[in-house]
Amino acid sequence: MTREQYILATQQNSLPRIEHPQFYPVGIYGWRKRCLYFFVLLLLVTMIVNLAMTIWILKVMNFTVDGMGNLRVTKKGIRLEGISEFLLPLYVKEIHSRKDSPLVLQSDRNVTVNARNHMGQLTGQLTVGADAVEAQCKRFEVRASDGGKVLFSADEDEIVIGAERLKVTGTEGAVFGHSVETPHIRAEPSQDLKLESPTRSLVMEAPRGVQVSAAAGDIKATCRKELHLQSAEGEIFLNADTIRLGNLPMGSFSSSSSSFSSSSSPSSSTPRQTIYELCACPNGKLYLSPAGAGSTCQSSSNICLWS
């Protein structure tokens, strides 16, 4: 054995023995791997179903770039075409229909439109129901088509009708519980005008006079008890071709001078009369006779000689 072989043999024996290291597998194996594949497959199926449902909803709801279905988003706002149903409150600034179609608001119960201030308090309400139309506000106005003239307005103090003519077509006419102020009352052509107060008095007042005119008919005033014609400062003037006072007692003609003297010179003890009775003579002349307990026209018939 040579020296070099000996040195090499001794060096190999002196070197420490190197043991082979243990290798551990990296990854998921067994049932964990199968569970992971199952969840990945389930997630993939869910994504595919979700994508299919999204495409179906977009197709059914007719989603486009401008909007969805009957709803279109424009520069002026939102446009709805056809019939639309709102299940929750709708807050808008302005609602108007197309120029060639009307605006219809429909509900199974009623339609209510509310107006609120900046604090959310209710300031006006319009309710259209099956039985009535109610408006709750401080002032209610109905204007003409041009929006200028007020045709009807109502508030807590008064009701104003601004139309040129108010026409009542009911068979019972118009019933007013309190006073009415108007410059002109007339009936329709060929119809009668009747002012009636069934249980109270009828009073017509005007600062410059009341004029009652019937161009082609008669004027009739009927009352149950008494009819008073009174003028505070002026006179009562009856201007007609013929003035007739019916159902007046007529005095009889008498040539007795004694009856004339007895009736023409009343006793000084008789109190002065302030109420007179209007009597008519056979020739149509009228005279005043003092009114007593009964009619004095028959006893004062001799006054007809001096009428």
Side-chain angles (χ1 to χ4, degrees), residues 273-291:
Q273 300 290 337
T274 58
I275 300 176
Y276 297 92
E277 202 173 20
L278 183 62
C279 301
C281 292
N283 56 0
K285 294 183 180 182
L286 303 177
Y287 65 94
L288 295 177
S289 177

Side-chain angles (χ1 to χ4, degrees), residues 1-2 27 99 111 155 201 203 213 217 232 250 257 260 262 280 287:
M1 179 181 296
T2 62
K99 295 182 179 179
V111 178
D155 55 16
S201 59
V203 179
S213 175
M250 298 180 60
S257 60
F260 169 74
S262 61
Y287 65 94

Side-chain angles (χ1 to χ4, degrees), residues 219-235:
I219 296 177
K220 183 179 180 181
T222 305
C223 64
R224 184 176 181 84
K225 292 184 178 180
E226 296 179 357
L227 177 63
H228 296 275
L229 299 178
Q230 182 178 359
S231 177
E233 297 181 357
E235 61 181 1

